[in-house]
Amino acid sequence: METAALLVVLVIALALFFDFTNGFHDTANAMATPIATGALKPKTAVLLAAILNLVGAFLSTEVSKTISGGIIREDAIIDAGTDLFLSLIFAGLIGAITWNMLTWLLGLPSSSSHALFGGLIGATIVGAGLGGIDFGAVLSKIVLPALIAPVTAGLIAFAATKIAYSITRRYDGKPDGRDGFRWGQIFTSSLVALAHGTNDAQKTMGVITLAMITIGWQSGAQHEPELWVIIACAFTIALGTYLGGWRIIRTLGKGLTDVKPAQGFAAESSTAATILASSALGFALSTTQVASGSVIGSGLGRRGSTVRWRTAGRIGVGWLLTLPAAGGVGALAALLVVWLGNWGVAIDAVLAVLIILGLFARSRRNAVTSANAMSDVAESHLAVEVPNTPPPTRRQQRIAQAKAEAKARAEAKEKARTEAKAQARKKAEAKAASKAGKASRPADAERDGESS
């Protein structure tokens, strides 16, 4: 029992550290576009996101229940020993944190959520076999939402961008005509930060609750996280958010420098709506994927845009890689546990600390702060090519055509008038010449008589 209690403490500590990395890793998802469009300054945006992540963590626990009583079959693993189950959770968290730290170092906007799922699934498969995973729950609560949510968010953002530009089309050709959307972005980006708290903070709550149920510190019939768990996870993710994740934000913002306020407003509204709806249903979404889908959809909503399929494909590969990569690391950590028991846990803990410190030390060589950071869901913006001068709208085409027709009619009338004047002048000249000819005939006759 003492060993199990120690393992629970280690799991809680590691889960909270993952929560911390989730906070700074996903800050950019909420604040990328308002920073890029100038609606918010970087430090202000990060502080606002931290506060709203904290608030959002208290609004829902449905996603937490999905983690604590959904994807892993506790009964199939506990039969093999409580210590083994806790050790596998510990190994899974190591896989998730290692992948999070590595992508943070490289500035890659990967999914913290899928890193966690991958780590837990990989460790469970190694330690308990395929029977330890509820693949029905994985498919319905993780895989399908991961495929559907970015597409749904993209379609909503596409429609919202079309509507926004249609309503404000009288400002076409005026660079600052849609600046009112900058103020709207403060509201919509706040909603995204709030939604992030309702979804991502819940995942850590679920892991801790699962560990508590395993050791018997919480009833297995009650998967609702305890109050102290909610408070700890809420403050930890808020702290991670406030410390910034500037390395991720820099990648995201540089790619979003062409995002217009109306487009950013539409993307953030779509992201917030998708995540809040999914949190209410208990779907564990990737905020990164939803935000990226919204950015791509809003880009396509601008006139004349085309998809760079190579870039879009590279983003998709990055999404697909996260879960198996984190699963692989979690599986390796679980192998040590299976082979060496408690010594394997100790070795895993030492290796995890060394990896985290090594990646952090490496990141200091090229530090990224609020002074030199701009934003990273931004690689998704590069998947859409928008011309500097968008083609005219149908209304503009009709107006241009009407002006061209009116000009052609005016030119035709002017030409007809000019031709009529020319003909009248010719007739007058001909008439004058005729009169002059008649007047010259009698004079000629007189001259002829005198000469004879």
Side-chain angles (χ1 to χ4, degrees):
M1 186 64 182
E2 292 181 359
T3 302
L6 178 60
L7 283 171
V8 170
V9 172
L10 287 175
V11 166
I12 292 174
L14 203 59
L16 289 176
F17 183 76
F18 170 79
D19 202 31
F20 177 81
T21 65
N22 193 352
F24 69 66
H25 199 279
D26 285 359
T27 301
N29 297 332
M31 294 301 169
T33 51
I35 292 174
T37 61
L40 288 171
K41 294 181 179 179
K43 282 191 174 182
T44 303
V46 168
L47 176 61
L48 182 61
I51 294 172
L52 290 169
N53 268 340
L54 175 65
V55 174
F58 289 91
L59 298 182
S60 171
T61 57
E62 292 302 318
V63 175
S64 171
K65 296 174 186 176
T66 297
I67 305 298
S68 62
I71 64 174
I72 296 177
R73 299 182 188 275
E74 303 101 292
D75 296 340
I77 305 176
I78 291 177
D79 291 342
T82 300
D83 289 358
L84 175 62
F85 189 21
L86 292 172
S87 299
L88 294 179
I89 296 175
F90 185 78
L93 286 170
I94 288 176
I97 291 173
T98 300
W99 184 252
N100 251 14
M101 291 293 291
L102 179 61
T103 52
W104 168 75
L105 174 66
L106 299 176
L108 300 176
S110 68
S111 168
S112 297
S113 304
H114 286 181
L116 176 61
F117 301 143
L120 291 175
I121 291 171
T124 301
I125 290 175
V126 168
L130 295 176
I133 303 296
D134 185 345
F135 286 99
V138 170
L139 181 64
S140 62
K141 294 287 188 177
I142 298 174
V143 176
L144 288 180
L147 298 175
I148 296 172
V151 176
T152 302
L155 291 174
I156 295 172
F158 174 84
T161 303
K162 286 287 189 184
I163 293 171
Y165 274 89
S166 176
I167 293 174
T168 59
R169 62 189 175 189
R170 65 182 179 276
Y171 292 115
D172 285 346
K174 299 178 182 179
D176 299 324
R178 294 185 173 92
D179 267 5
F181 283 107
R182 293 184 193 275
W183 297 102
Q185 277 191 281
I186 297 175
F187 173 73
T188 53
S189 60
S190 298
L191 275 182
V192 175
L194 187 72
H196 181 250
T198 65
N199 202 279
D200 280 45
Q202 309 300 317
K203 295 157 190 171
T204 306
M205 296 179 199
V207 171
I208 295 176
T209 301
L210 182 60
M212 301 273 288
I213 291 173
T214 301
I215 199 175
W217 292 356
Q218 183 171 328
S219 171
Q222 177 64 29
H223 287 274
E224 188 86 20
E226 295 186 1
L227 180 61
W228 73 266
V229 175
I230 296 175
I231 293 173
C233 292
F235 276 93
T236 303
I237 198 170
L239 180 62
T241 300
Y242 180 68
L243 293 182
W246 300 110
R247 187 173 298 275
I248 296 289
I249 290 181
R250 180 176 64 176
T251 310
L252 206 42
K254 286 184 177 178
L256 287 173
T257 51
D258 292 334
V259 171
K260 303 300 180 184
Q263 181 186 346
F265 177 86
E268 291 153 13
S269 300
S270 171
T271 300
T274 303
I275 297 175
L276 287 172
S278 299
S279 296
L281 296 172
F283 294 149
L285 290 182
S286 163
T287 308
T288 301
Q289 292 183 5
V290 174
S292 297
S294 296
V295 170
I296 292 174
S298 65
L300 290 174
R302 289 173 62 183
R303 295 193 309 276
S305 59
T306 55
V307 178
R308 295 188 181 104
W309 291 110
R310 180 175 296 180
T311 303
R314 186 170 65 249
I315 293 169
V317 169
W319 291 352
L320 295 174
L321 181 64
T322 295
L323 194 146
V329 179
L332 290 174
L335 278 176
L336 292 177
V337 171
V338 172
W339 290 342
L340 303 176
N342 291 336
W343 281 104
V345 175
I347 294 173
D348 277 344
V350 172
L351 289 176
V353 171
L354 291 177
I355 290 171
I356 291 170
L357 292 178
L359 291 175
F360 180 78
R362 178 64 182 82
S363 72
R364 294 301 88 193
R365 297 182 185 179
N366 183 24
V368 180
T369 66
S370 60
N372 62 359
M374 264 300 290
S375 224
D376 254 353
V377 165
E379 187 180 359
S380 55
H381 174 65
L382 300 178
V384 179
E385 183 177 4
V386 181
N388 292 330
T389 304
T393 62
R394 292 180 180 177
R395 177 174 177 272
Q396 290 172 330
Q397 290 174 348
R398 289 196 299 269
I399 292 173
Q401 184 178 357
K403 288 181 178 179
E405 291 174 353
K407 183 179 179 181
R409 286 195 297 269
E411 289 176 349
K413 288 181 180 179
E414 182 64 27
K415 183 179 180 180
R417 192 179 299 114
T418 302
E419 290 177 350
K421 288 181 179 179
Q423 290 178 357
R425 190 164 51 250
K426 288 180 180 179
K427 287 181 180 180
E429 290 174 353
K431 188 175 182 181
S434 177
K435 286 182 179 180
K438 289 179 180 179
S440 65
R441 286 194 199 103
D444 291 342
E446 289 179 7
R447 283 196 299 269
D448 290 343
E450 291 175 353
S451 63
S452 59

